[in-house]
């Protein structure tokens, strides 16, 4: 038994087998194929792409580290054309009628083992190169969308780190817990873990090489521990805790259907945050009054191209229909920073959190924005949709948005496509937006405070930087004062304000927010009933 310590981002207990994800490890599945020739053609295309990638790496290395070190990429290019290597791949595809990924991976494994067992030092060292090129080929074949996250049975996912797109691609029913070496409490991966209602630990100091998939473990989100190969006694305690948690949860379920009202009669809306159409199930299960934040960018990541208007329309329509008249606030594309989509080619940035993201992309690439707006407006007739715009810093931005929205509506009208005039709000997640919230309030229907980014920009703390977690203090007076200012400015203009950042679910602050006059809290679905309990017990 071994006990590893980390930082919990969602309190819960899990007991099960671990599945270790190593970044370069694409879990390649063996599938039967109809046409061997098509698979061989795929290998050729992957090789061509690999050759170009290696050429670029060679040129970069030549400039930065000189010819001797850059030569390795030339060697890799030559290896790609190695007759034995290629013949072996083709043989496997033809004789076993299997997919290209599988053939490349298995030839890569056997060739690298063969080199590793040679006497000659130079030849032995080539084992790593063979592995490298076969991994590159597999990566090219799989493209951005690996199915390495497909698990046969529910597992505890153990990884170095997980990107939002990796997390979002996982089948949520197959995950018992997340445990990572890196990651920060406020990253979108942590947010997704909370959304999925599963225990998650970050910052766990573990050697992934020493861990084997299939090992048993207990993940305790209350103590921040992962216990590997637990004794029968530890497993028993974990099972007891799991059933206690279940019992508490059942007690909370008694609050379903009840109002979010204090003993003094003050009401507040409790909505939920979602990232995909399938999350609506959690929203309904936890009796949220609506969706206060639909992070629409998750429709854009983990794929190779932009989602079409039709695809988006279907998603928004389905959410609106499933929510049956309850409010659904769709946040327009907030891509950039940690949420990347390679196909958008956003480029490397020194400070991505202060960079080209969210509304800045939408205003400078209006076609992308308009496609999304058209899809949202088309879906508006199927339920109670509102729109909100992220990362606002100025009145001018809102005016530009309004102009684009007017164009979209005009186009729909001219094409006889029905739509409704929906409520439109802005996210308040920059200090600039706070300071001009009196002016913004005149232009929009509501505010939703994004405390994750507001804290990041107010305290000058990169929310992705795990080293800064101890300094990331969303209870900071500056943040709380800003929230009060925004609420007051919205009320003066007869508008309402909600909080959709993670702070909205901070049970220590629920009373404070109600007393401040916050009108709505939008939180992870699993937090709705916990908040309702506190509100109903408030004087
Ligand atoms: C926020 O910044 O608080 C927010 C809700 O947006 P996101 O976490 O998606 O950036
Ligand atoms: Mg934000």
């Amino acid at each position: 038994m071994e006990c590893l310590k980390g930082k919990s981002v969602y309190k819960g207990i899990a007991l099960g087998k671990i599945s270790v994800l190593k970044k370069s490890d694409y879990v390649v599945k063996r599938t039967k194929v109809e046409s061997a020739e098509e698979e061989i053609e795929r290998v050729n295309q992957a090789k061509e792409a690999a050759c170009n990638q290696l050429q670029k790496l060679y040129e970069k290395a030549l400039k930065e580290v000189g010819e001797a070190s850059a030569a390795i990429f030339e060697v890799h290019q030559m290896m790609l054309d190695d007759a034995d290597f290629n013949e072996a791949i083709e043989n496997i595809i033809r004789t076993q009628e299997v997919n290209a990924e599988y053939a490349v991976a298995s030839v890569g494994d056997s060739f690298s083992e063969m080199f590793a067992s040679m006497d000659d030092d130079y030849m032995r060292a080539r084992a790593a190169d063979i592995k490298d090129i076969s991994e590159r080929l597999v990566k090219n074949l799989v493209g951005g969308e690996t199915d390495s996250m497909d698990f046969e049975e529910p597992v505890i996912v153990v990884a170095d780190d997980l990107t939002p797109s990796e997390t979002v691609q996982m089948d949520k029913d197959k995950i018992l817990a997340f445990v990572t070496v890196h990651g920060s409490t406020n990253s979108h991966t942590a947010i997704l873990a909370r959304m999925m209602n599963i225990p998650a630990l970050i910052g766990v100091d573990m050697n992934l090489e020493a861990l084997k998939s299939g090992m048993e473990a207990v993940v305790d989100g209350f103590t921040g521990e992962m216990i590997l190969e637990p004794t029968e006694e530890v497993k028993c305690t974990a099972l007891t805790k799991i059933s206690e948690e279940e019992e508490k949860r059942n007690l909370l379920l008694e609050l379903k259907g009840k109002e979010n009202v204090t003993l003094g009669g003050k009401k507040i809306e409790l909505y939920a945050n979602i990232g995909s159409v399938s999350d609506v199930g959690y929203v309904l299960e936890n009796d949220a009054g609506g969706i206060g934040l639909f992070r629409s960018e998750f429709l854009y990541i983990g794929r190779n191209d932009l989602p079409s208007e039709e695809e988006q329309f279907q998603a928004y329509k389905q959410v609106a229909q499933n929510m049956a008249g309850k409010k659904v606030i769709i946040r327009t594309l907030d891509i950039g920073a940690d949420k990347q989509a390679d196909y958008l080619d956003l480029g490397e940035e020194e400070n991505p959190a202060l960079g080209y993201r969210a509304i800045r992309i939408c205003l400078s690439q209006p076609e992308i924005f308009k496609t999304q707006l058209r899809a949202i407006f088309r879906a508006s007739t199927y339920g109670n949709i509102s729109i909100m715009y992220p990362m606002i810093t100025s009145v001018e931005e809102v005016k530009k948005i309004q102009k684009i929205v007017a164009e979209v509506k005009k186009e729909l009208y001219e094409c006889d496509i029905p739509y409704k005039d929906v409520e439109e709000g802005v996210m308040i997640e920059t200090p600039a937006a706070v300071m001009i919230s009196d002016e913004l309030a005149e232009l929009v229907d509501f505010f939703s405070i994004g405390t994750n980014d507001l804290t990041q920009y107010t305290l000058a703390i990169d929310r992705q930087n795990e080293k800064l977690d101890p300094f990331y203090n969303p209870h900071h007076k500056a943040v709380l004062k800003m929230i009060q200012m925004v609420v007051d400015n919205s009320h003066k203009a007869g508008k309402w304000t909600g909080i959709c950042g993670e702070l909205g679910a901070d049970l220590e602050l629920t009373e404070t927010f109600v007393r401040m006059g916050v009108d709505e809290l939008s939180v992870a679905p699993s937090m709705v009933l916990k908040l309702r309990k506190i509100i109903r017990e408030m004087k």
Side-chain angles (χ1 to χ4, degrees):
M1 189 168 94
E2 187 186 0
C3 180
L4 301 165
K5 271 279 205 196
K7 191 164 171 195
S8 171
V9 294
Y10 184 80
K11 294 187 166 70
I13 317 260
L15 165 65
K17 290 190 180 140
I18 64 169
S19 175
V20 186
L21 290 185
K22 291 177 194 139
K23 270 288 135 96
S24 53
D25 248 17
Y26 289 96
V27 179
V28 174
K29 276 200 194 148
R30 181 183 196 276
T31 48
K32 277 264 170 208
V33 294
E34 300 265 307
S35 158
E37 290 319 308
E38 274 176 26
E39 288 310 285
I40 290 167
E41 181 48 33
R42 286 183 63 225
V43 175
N44 289 336
Q45 283 171 8
K47 266 172 53 188
E48 208 178 299
C51 203
N52 292 335
Q53 292 156 353
L54 289 164
Q55 185 58 29
K56 282 196 189 131
L57 284 173
Y58 171 77
E59 283 159 17
K60 188 165 181 282
L62 193 61
K63 263 196 238 136
E64 292 171 5
V65 290
E67 171 115 51
S69 303
I72 187 63
F73 298 115
E74 279 187 316
V75 173
H76 281 197
Q77 276 175 317
M78 285 184 313
M79 280 178 161
L80 274 177
D81 282 322
D82 180 81
D84 291 344
F85 184 69
N86 286 302
E87 205 182 308
I89 293 171
E90 286 191 23
N91 260 341
I92 292 194
I93 293 178
R94 286 215 172 87
T95 54
Q96 302 183 28
E97 294 169 338
V98 288
N99 53 324
E101 292 85 338
Y102 176 79
V104 171
S106 51
V107 170
D109 283 348
S110 56
F111 271 50
S112 73
E113 269 167 34
M114 185 174 80
F115 276 97
S117 64
M118 289 181 177
D119 288 338
D120 183 298
D121 280 351
Y122 175 83
M123 294 310 265
R124 252 204 318 273
R126 299 286 68 77
D129 296 321
I130 296 276
K131 207 152 179 52
D132 203 326
I133 58 162
S134 61
E135 275 174 9
R136 179 177 295 283
L137 284 175
V138 170
K139 205 166 164 188
N140 289 345
L141 282 163
V142 184
E145 294 169 344
T146 75
D147 54 1
S148 59
M149 310 293 177
D150 279 349
F151 307 109
E152 305 255 303
E153 53 172 340
V155 289
I156 296 167
V157 176
V158 176
D160 188 52
D161 199 359
L162 292 165
T163 63
S165 62
E166 284 166 337
T167 317
V168 90
Q169 279 172 59
M170 293 182 188
D171 176 354
K172 295 161 196 172
D173 295 332
K174 300 277 176 63
I175 317 263
L176 297 171
F178 287 120
V179 181
T180 60
V181 179
H182 298 288
S184 77
T185 326
N186 305 292
S187 64
H188 283 95
T189 303
I191 290 172
L192 285 165
R194 288 193 278 267
M195 155 72 62
M196 297 177 198
N197 207 357
I198 52 178
L201 305 183
I202 56 169
V204 179
D205 187 11
M206 57 190 166
N207 174 8
L208 290 185
E209 296 304 321
L211 298 183
K212 285 207 176 60
S213 293
M215 275 174 149
E216 243 189 333
V218 168
V219 175
D220 188 332
F222 292 91
T223 59
E225 288 171 337
M226 173 163 78
I227 300 153
L228 283 168
E229 301 188 307
T231 59
E232 282 309 311
E233 200 186 331
V234 170
K235 281 203 269 183
C236 230
T237 315
L239 286 172
T240 314
K241 282 196 197 166
I242 290 171
S243 64
E244 279 169 9
E245 279 305 299
E246 185 73 26
E247 241 170 75
K248 277 195 208 151
R249 168 108 199 110
N250 288 339
L251 277 177
L252 280 177
L253 291 182
E254 287 175 12
L255 292 176
K256 277 175 88 166
K258 304 240 164 89
E259 276 193 305
N260 314 307
V261 60
T262 66
L263 294 170
K266 191 160 177 10
K267 277 192 197 157
I268 182 163
E269 298 293 347
L270 285 182
Y271 293 169
N273 296 346
I274 64 165
S276 69
V277 178
S278 60
D279 293 337
V280 176
Y282 301 123
V283 178
L284 298 172
E285 201 179 297
N286 290 283
D287 198 31
I291 291 169
L293 167 63
F294 179 177
R295 287 185 165 94
S296 68
E297 55 278 6
F298 286 109
L299 299 175
Y300 292 69
I301 61 179
R303 50 185 292 148
N304 296 322
D305 52 2
L306 279 165
S308 66
E309 178 185 320
E310 189 57 27
E311 242 177 285
Q312 292 190 63
F313 163 66
Q314 291 300 341
Y316 305 142
K317 173 181 158 190
Q318 204 179 328
V319 173
Q321 280 180 329
N322 292 352
M323 288 301 290
K326 289 184 177 156
K327 200 186 275 294
V328 175
I329 305 177
I330 301 173
R331 179 198 36 211
T332 57
L333 181 61
D334 182 6
I335 214 145
D338 64 323
K339 289 175 286 193
Q340 289 291 336
D342 290 346
Y343 60 85
L344 282 178
D345 221 0
L346 298 177
E348 291 274 313
E349 290 184 295
E350 281 277 315
N351 296 300
L354 299 178
Y356 190 47
R357 63 173 283 201
I359 205 68
R360 298 166 185 183
I361 296 176
C362 288
L363 290 177
S364 45
Q365 302 195 47
E367 279 321 307
I368 294 180
F369 193 31
K370 277 182 142 182
T371 304
Q372 178 170 41
L373 289 170
R374 279 176 65 90
I376 299 176
F377 276 104
R378 280 175 59 198
S380 65
T381 58
Y382 294 87
N384 182 7
I385 286 180
S386 303
I387 309 180
M388 70 177 173
Y389 306 101
M391 286 294 294
I392 297 297
T393 57
S394 72
V395 162
E396 291 68 37
E397 282 165 351
V398 178
K399 293 200 168 147
K400 279 187 193 151
I401 294 169
Q402 287 173 334
K403 195 162 163 263
I404 295 174
V405 167
E407 281 167 23
V408 166
K409 286 188 188 174
K410 186 165 172 270
E411 283 161 23
L412 290 172
Y413 177 76
E414 284 169 359
C415 295
D416 262 342
I417 298 172
Y419 69 88
K420 280 205 284 207
D421 281 326
V422 301
E423 244 195 339
E424 285 171 85
V426 288
M427 290 194 66
I428 303 286
E429 46 188 352
T430 63
V434 174
M435 298 313 290
I436 58 164
S437 54
D438 52 345
E439 291 177 59
L440 293 174
E442 300 296 336
L443 294 173
V444 299
D445 299 312
F446 67 94
F447 288 150
S448 187
I449 306 178
T451 50
N452 309 333
D453 279 316
L454 185 58
T455 307
Q456 146 165 279
Y457 298 127
T458 304
L459 304 185
I461 282 177
D462 177 357
R463 66 194 259 198
Q464 289 297 116
N465 186 339
E466 63 205 68
K467 278 198 223 117
L468 300 180
D469 263 359
F471 299 95
Y472 186 96
N473 173 18
H475 288 213
H476 195 295
K477 235 193 246 168
V479 177
L480 296 178
K481 276 188 169 179
M482 285 184 169
I483 296 175
Q484 185 68 73
M485 186 173 174
V486 173
V487 171
D488 291 346
N489 280 335
S490 70
H491 289 174
K492 269 185 221 149
K495 311 292 165 69
W496 62 271
T497 291
I499 298 179
C500 64
E502 295 300 288
L503 200 62
D506 188 326
L507 303 176
E508 283 175 35
L509 287 176
T510 312
E511 274 205 53
T512 309
F513 291 147
V514 174
R515 299 207 193 286
M516 278 179 167
V518 172
D519 303 284
E520 174 247 16
L521 294 170
S522 189
V523 297
S526 58
M527 295 304 292
V528 170
L529 295 174
K530 291 183 188 167
L531 283 163
R532 180 170 296 165
K533 183 168 184 293
I534 294 187
I535 292 165
R536 289 177 65 83
E537 287 167 1
M538 244 182 95
K539 296 235 172 59

